[in-house]
Amino acid sequence: MLKNYLWVAFISMVPLIELRGAIPVGVGLGLPIVPTYIIAVLANMVPVPIIYLFARKVLEWGADKKFIGKFFTFCLEKGEKGGQKLQSKAGKGLFIALLLFVGIPLPGTGAWTGTLAASILDMDFKSSVFAVLGGVLLAGIIMGLASAGLFGAIGAIL
């Protein structure tokens, strides 16, 4: 059983998959939903401070390198455009916008992308971490409900 929880934790830390994939995997492995949710949320938050503090610096450093420069520049430009778009739509509600961006489980959203956008937007560390945490909690609830079959049951009723 410990091995299955370690899989949930590992999957939660992988970019683009994160807890959106980890919770359904945990449920599929027969793990109880609440411990799976807790492990997935905690593991999904592990990379957040590292991403906030170092990802932008690494991308800026690699932007002029021969083999990785184009990719790193692409990532920086994508993050800047996404951050500016988020900020223009959110205005003073940037915290809530970031929370919802991370919390609504769609492709390309999540803790990794949200934290990078917050870093590029120069949001303060504390606000960024709390907005991302709120989003991760929300995404976990949505994925937990979906994994438990609630959405399928509602669809069958309607």
Side-chain angles (χ1 to χ4, degrees):
M1 184 183 290
L2 177 62
K3 186 171 117 177
N4 291 343
Y5 282 116
L6 290 173
W7 273 112
V8 169
F10 174 74
I11 294 168
S12 293
M13 290 188 269
V14 175
L16 300 176
I17 301 173
E18 302 181 29
L19 64 67
R20 292 153 170 76
I23 291 176
V25 166
V27 170
L29 291 171
L31 298 174
I33 191 73
V34 173
T36 300
Y37 172 82
I38 292 168
I39 297 293
V41 168
L42 292 174
N44 198 184
M45 289 302 295
V46 167
V48 168
I50 298 163
I51 297 164
Y52 182 88
L53 297 172
F54 299 111
R56 181 178 178 180
K57 292 174 184 170
V58 170
L59 290 173
E60 289 172 349
W61 167 83
D64 63 349
K65 303 299 184 252
K66 185 176 181 178
F67 295 107
I68 58 174
K70 287 183 181 180
F71 176 71
F72 279 36
T73 301
F74 168 78
C75 290
L76 272 173
E77 289 173 355
K78 183 100 169 136
E80 288 172 4
K81 286 179 187 175
Q84 290 169 356
K85 187 176 180 182
L86 185 64
Q87 192 168 31
S88 69
K89 287 184 177 181
K92 294 183 181 195
L94 189 57
F95 179 90
I96 297 296
L98 180 60
L99 186 147
L100 292 174
F101 176 80
V102 173
I104 298 173
L106 296 171
T109 67
W112 282 75
T113 309
T115 305
L116 181 58
S119 173
I120 289 172
L121 287 171
D122 292 322
M123 282 182 69
D124 70 281
F125 179 77
K126 186 177 176 182
S127 294
S128 300
V129 170
F130 280 117
V132 170
L133 176 60
V136 167
L137 291 169
L138 176 60
I141 290 169
I142 292 169
M143 292 310 301
L145 291 172
S147 297
L150 180 63
F151 293 140
I154 293 172
I157 294 170
L158 299 175

